Amino acid sequence: MTIAYLPGPPDDVPPYEPWAGEPEVLAEAAAAGRRAAEWIRSLPAPPTPRPVGTWIAGALPDAVEAATASLDPAQCDRMGPDGRLIEGTAGVDAGTTSTLAIVPCVLSDADWLTPDQHLRLMAVASLVTGIARLLADDPGTAILHGLVARMCATLDHATRPDHPGLATQFEHTVRHER
């Protein structure tokens, strides 16, 4: 079998030029990440110390902040010199991405948190990962068409302050529908 690679970019690749509005979009993503991390840190601690409680209070919000603060549209998908696709990271390192990816698995051990809090934590991990993936796949569209801004608005909604009455109302409705 013969494999032919497409030629890679020339050696004189022009320097990266930011998209219109990029600094503002990245600043808003970093601010939304800080607010999300603050909400995560405000969640109740387990009744007795547990490793997952320490992780949720420390490593998870740190990863959310690190991911949103390090976003870099210049680190997008590109063609390598050998003609192979190099998947971009949008500036988010592999360790941070890994921390966000294990959220659904870890939450089963966080039985002191409500189902609403579990769902919102999964939304946070998914949204932060999604913002990075959007910027890596197509930064121009993500920035110019407001996709990152919309995901930041959804992130803010997911991390709004807890309202105990809302969870109680939902549970009451679910019980009466059965």
Side-chain angles (χ1 to χ4, degrees):
M1 171 190 281
T2 303
I3 298 175
Y5 296 105
L6 296 173
D11 291 335
D12 58 344
V13 176
Y16 176 79
E17 291 187 33
W19 297 91
E22 179 179 316
E24 296 81 9
V25 167
L26 296 178
E28 177 51 32
R34 285 190 302 276
R35 290 187 296 270
E38 183 180 314
W39 174 77
I40 294 168
R41 289 184 184 108
S42 77
L43 291 172
T48 58
R50 297 180 183 181
V52 72
T54 303
W55 183 85
I56 289 174
L60 180 57
D62 290 350
V64 168
E65 277 186 301
T68 56
S70 66
L71 291 171
D72 181 2
Q75 293 185 22
C76 59
D77 296 344
R78 62 197 176 282
M79 195 65 69
D82 60 357
R84 294 180 193 221
L85 177 68
I86 298 172
E87 221 177 275
T89 64
V92 181
D93 67 80
T96 301
T97 301
S98 176
T99 299
L100 295 169
I102 63 170
V103 168
C105 303
V106 171
L107 289 179
S108 62
D109 286 340
D111 57 0
W112 71 94
L113 296 175
T114 67
D116 180 65
Q117 291 165 332
H118 280 210
L119 184 61
R120 292 165 66 187
L121 284 168
M122 285 192 284
V124 167
S126 177
L127 287 161
V128 171
T129 304
I131 291 169
R133 192 69 253 150
L134 274 172
L135 287 172
D137 287 345
D138 188 359
T141 300
I143 293 169
L144 298 175
H145 295 286
L147 303 178
V148 173
R150 279 182 277 193
M151 290 184 82
C152 288
T154 305
L155 183 60
D156 281 336
H157 181 76
T159 59
R160 68 199 180 280
D162 285 331
H163 298 290
L166 185 62
T168 304
Q169 180 183 7
F170 174 76
E171 291 167 1
H172 176 75
T173 303
V174 169
R175 268 190 254 121
H176 287 289
E177 288 180 354
R178 290 184 183 172

